[in-house]
Amino acid sequence: MPAIAQEMGRTLAVEEPFGWDEIVECIRENTEESLGKLGRSAEGTQNYRVVRAKLLEEYATLVDIIKIRTLNFDFVLNEDGKKEAVETPPPNPTALVINDFPYNFKSGIEHFVLWNVRAMSSEEIDKALELHTKKWEVAWFHNPPSLQSIPGLWHIHVVSRKKSPS
């Protein structure tokens, strides 16, 4: 397993990229400890913090950023002039997007996030990923609350690599 810098049990930086088999093993174990090993590089973590701070100058919360930018919620400006998502969701508040701040995975492994305003069942997840899985080998996981950087909005991590031609 790659070396990991941790603080109070939470991954701060993954020094070496994880390979496919290592990622799948962490997901298969599906424990706070195993999923906690997956994380961003030190550079990726720093970039995440810088961009997050910049976005929070314009948006009220991290949840508002995702709802407005990714799930296409309408918004209002609050008393501080920051964007807040309205309560009423758009017709299909589900989005599979490439992770802007991916975990430290080896080349050829992509990190997506599937967002929704409510928890999705395994069947709903499979349906949402149906087109994606035609060309990609997929493993997905839902972080426990202690590992979520955006706990206020349901999402799963989707790790993918191109299927080999057969």
Side-chain angles (χ1 to χ4, degrees), residues 25-79:
E25 182 60 30
C26 288
I27 293 170
R28 188 176 295 119
E29 286 179 28
N30 196 33
T31 64
E32 187 171 347
E33 181 181 352
S34 68
L35 296 176
K37 293 175 185 175
L38 304 174
R40 299 176 183 94
S41 65
E43 180 182 336
T45 298
Q46 180 59 26
N47 183 46
Y48 171 74
R49 289 176 177 159
V50 168
V51 173
R52 178 183 65 192
K54 183 72 175 158
L55 287 170
L56 287 172
E57 293 173 6
E58 181 181 352
Y59 295 86
T61 68
L62 294 174
V63 170
D64 289 312
I65 294 168
I66 301 300
K67 283 183 171 181
I68 295 165
R69 293 172 59 119
T70 304
L71 297 176
N72 298 313
F73 272 65
D74 288 330
F75 66 88
V76 296
L77 296 178
N78 67 16
E79 64 268 4

Side-chain angles (χ1 to χ4, degrees), residues 88-134:
T88 306
N92 184 20
T94 303
L96 177 66
V97 296
I98 192 82
N99 190 334
D100 291 329
F101 309 99
Y103 289 178
N104 195 6
F105 298 148
K106 288 185 177 175
S107 178
I109 300 172
E110 299 290 338
H111 185 181
F112 294 83
V113 181
L114 178 65
W115 297 97
N116 200 312
V117 295
R118 61 170 183 76
M120 297 173 71
S121 69
S122 292
E123 294 80 20
E124 290 171 313
I125 293 168
D126 289 344
K127 184 164 176 57
L129 297 177
E130 188 173 33
L131 286 176
H132 186 71
T133 57
K134 290 185 188 295

